[in-house]
Amino acid sequence: MNISGGWRQAAIIGRHPVINDLVDQAPDPARRASHGNPSMKTLKKSSKLAHVLYDIRGPIMDRAKQMEDEGQHLIKLNIGNLAAFGFDAPEEVQLDMIRNLPNSAGYSDSKGIFAARKAVMHYTQAQGTQGVTLDDIYLGNGASDLIAMATNALLDDGDELLLPAPDYPLWTAVTSLSGGSPVHYLCDEANGWIPDLDDIRAKITPRTKGIVVINPNNPTGVLYPDDVLRGIVDIAREFGLVILADEVYDKVLYDDVQHTALASLSTDVLTLTFNSLSKSYRACGYRAGWMVVSGDKGAARDYIEGLDMLANMRLCANVPGQWAIQTALGGYQSINDLVREGGRLHRQRELAYELITAIPGVTCVKPQAALYMFPRLDPEVYPIQDDRQFFLQLLEATRVMLVQGTGFNWSRPDHFRIVFLPHEADLREAIGRIAKFLGDYRAKHAKQRLVSVDADPAEQAVDSPVKLAAKAG
Ligand SMILES: Cc1ncc(COP(=O)(O)O)c(C=O)c1O
């Protein structure tokens, strides 16, 4: 029996005999810690985790938690958790899940319940993907569960997976955890963050097993044009690679852009498509996702057997969440009300873009999809050495939480991701605080430069303080 500190205190004060007995028998955490277990070795995390990075919930989050425990109120622009910002899952979806709760206590088929998989099958047909049967559909605890399943079944130690940089860091993390080597291909900011097909080609080796494509993209919010998607399919076909297409934002689209499912562009290239209710249906917590295997499955029989084994081993996905899928995918698509001009997500994207790009030295490719922007901090204006440290300082000074660009496997400390989910007033407040912090940094840095240039006249010719101040704005 464990009694928490609060109860222990209450019991001592109240002197209730029964509770006091329990308190006396309960191990005091302080006593337990001081006794220790002499035969216990120091426990270290496994070496498999040595190269795993997931800074969306990393040290900045730990510091944020500490600050919240101290009673500070934070504005969290670090995670795409829609419910936390008042975006509700569609009521009909909620009700159908509740209605089916009595049918959800048992394990389901390891790939998922029939009705949900049938709905996913129809969804793939509507997207133009051919040849998908019920057997090709796996339901999971969100797309995350299935992404880990797909990499675990695919990669032997040292096998390479091509991943975008920047990426949604789960992909790089699970590639490493699966024993594989993540190899990042460039998404080119100068070209609207579109994948650089030459770079993809250049990075293919005999150990390359597949290409990950995140479209629409997190963290850049960019939607890829069809010719680029076709280019990726061609490369995969030429080198016999699997395509892993993460399309969880396929309905979070602004400005009337259209999403093309990668799987719809070929009938031969083996493609695994990942999606979920998390974003388009504002139901991250339902943990309801799906994976669809399409293309030529003949040559991939053994891999598919591996996927089946892993699906069987974890028995099944969360069953109440599975019941939400059929209702969500059919009928009225309320996400469209949020993303159309004047809709809440559309308004927030406009505002966040306008405010962020008004900050001197900050530029950004305007997102056409998803919930994020990935702005650039001009290194001449913001010569940041360690961006994690920089955004930790920003958190402490402003109580606004962001994730630094290197947290998305971007190699230089010159970007950050912002989530534009808060209401407009909160976004104004948050970005106002960020702007002030960056303004203070510019002023401080300009002053430092002034001192160093005074000390070394040779540098004056390179970048005068006046020139620098003008750049900094
Ligand atoms: C690109 C991308 N893929 C996958 C996921 C995971 O989604 P799920 O909640 O379905 O596990 C996320 C979550 O933010 C994401 O941004």
Side-chain angles (χ1 to χ4, degrees), residues 141-144 147 168 214 218 246 248-249 276 278-279 287 372:
N141 295 318
S144 307
I147 288 170
Y168 174 60
I214 304 174
N218 176 7
D246 179 339
V248 301
Y249 299 97
S276 74
S278 293
K279 313 294 174 170
R287 309 311 297 131
Y372 318 99

Side-chain angles (χ1 to χ4, degrees), residues 30-355:
R31 219 173 342 143
R32 199 176 34 197
S34 70
H35 281 187
N37 174 356
S39 49
M40 186 78 194
K41 293 188 204 125
T42 309
L43 263 190
K44 292 191 160 188
K45 63 177 177 297
S46 79
S47 53
K48 292 193 295 260
L49 286 166
H51 301 291
V52 171
L53 167 106
Y54 194 74
D55 266 2
I56 292 181
R57 291 181 187 250
I60 297 182
M61 177 104 158
D62 294 344
R63 178 68 189 118
K65 188 166 178 322
Q66 244 176 19
M67 290 168 72
E68 281 183 322
D69 289 348
E70 288 159 16
Q72 302 191 48
H73 173 71
L74 306 182
I75 305 181
K76 295 181 184 171
L77 306 186
N78 67 311
I79 192 162
N81 187 8
L82 290 109
F85 298 94
F87 290 94
D88 294 330
E91 198 174 303
E92 195 188 354
V93 175
Q94 297 182 40
L95 289 177
D96 279 10
M97 198 169 76
I98 293 167
R99 193 167 291 134
N100 281 294
L101 205 53
N103 306 325
S104 304
Y107 295 126
S108 70
D109 181 294
S110 65
K111 284 186 176 176
I113 62 173
F114 172 84
R117 285 198 288 151
K118 191 82 178 175
V120 171
M121 193 178 118
H122 289 156
Y123 187 67
T124 64
Q125 287 168 359
Q127 288 180 316
T129 303
Q130 292 179 36
V132 174
T133 68
L134 272 187
D135 229 22
D136 304 323
I137 296 167
Y138 300 72
L139 305 189
N141 295 318
S144 307
D145 181 28
L146 299 158
I147 288 170
M149 198 186 279
T151 55
N152 266 309
L154 182 68
L155 300 170
D156 274 321
D157 287 356
D159 280 348
E160 292 167 9
L161 195 57
L162 284 163
L163 304 150
D167 75 340
Y168 174 60
L170 173 74
W171 276 105
T172 300
V174 294
T175 299
S176 297
L177 206 53
S178 307
S181 299
V183 176
H184 291 101
Y185 64 82
L186 179 70
C187 294
D188 186 3
E189 186 170 22
N191 190 23
W193 289 120
I194 298 300
D196 181 333
L197 298 185
D198 292 336
D199 195 47
I200 293 181
R201 264 179 192 283
K203 288 185 171 149
I204 293 172
T205 74
R207 295 300 307 261
T208 309
K209 294 292 269 293
I211 309 177
V212 173
V213 182
I214 304 174
N215 181 45
N217 190 266
N218 176 7
T220 62
V222 164
L223 180 78
Y224 300 156
D226 284 5
D227 60 333
V228 171
L229 298 178
R230 285 208 180 84
I232 294 171
V233 171
D234 289 345
I235 293 174
R237 180 179 292 120
E238 186 180 335
F239 292 93
L241 306 178
V242 183
I243 292 180
L244 302 163
D246 179 339
E247 299 184 347
V248 301
Y249 299 97
D250 68 341
K251 292 194 167 176
V252 190
L253 305 171
Y254 310 101
D255 311 328
D256 297 323
V257 292
Q258 301 286 321
H259 175 261
T260 300
L262 245 176
S264 71
L265 297 179
S266 85
T267 50
D268 56 337
V269 174
L270 190 78
T271 305
L272 273 62
T273 304
F274 303 85
N275 210 328
S276 74
L277 298 189
S278 293
K279 313 294 174 170
S280 301
Y281 300 92
R282 288 89 70 203
C284 301
Y286 290 8
R287 309 311 297 131
W290 56 93
M291 172 175 77
V292 177
V293 183
S294 61
D296 181 3
K297 291 157 235 164
R301 243 179 241 126
D302 201 54
Y303 176 44
I304 292 169
E305 200 179 295
L307 292 172
D308 290 345
M309 280 167 73
L310 291 176
N312 289 334
M313 278 159 61
R314 55 92 225 227
L315 301 172
C316 69
N318 164 43
V319 179
Q322 294 186 42
W323 284 108
I325 292 174
Q326 182 187 23
T327 309
L329 292 186
Y332 189 67
Q333 298 295 298
S334 51
I335 182 68
N336 294 333
D337 298 333
L338 296 169
V339 295
R340 73 160 62 102
E341 198 168 343
R344 185 176 159 195
L345 280 173
H346 188 277
R347 279 188 279 117
Q348 289 169 192
R349 176 202 62 155
E350 291 294 300
L351 181 68
Y353 178 73
E354 184 192 310
L355 296 176

Side-chain angles (χ1 to χ4, degrees), residues 376-395:
R376 176 174 188 265
L377 296 164
D378 181 347
E380 290 214 28
V381 182
Y382 305 98
I384 298 162
Q385 301 299 315
D386 177 341
D387 62 349
R388 185 194 271 172
Q389 199 53 35
F390 183 84
F391 283 97
L392 205 53
Q393 283 164 4
L394 186 143
L395 168 71

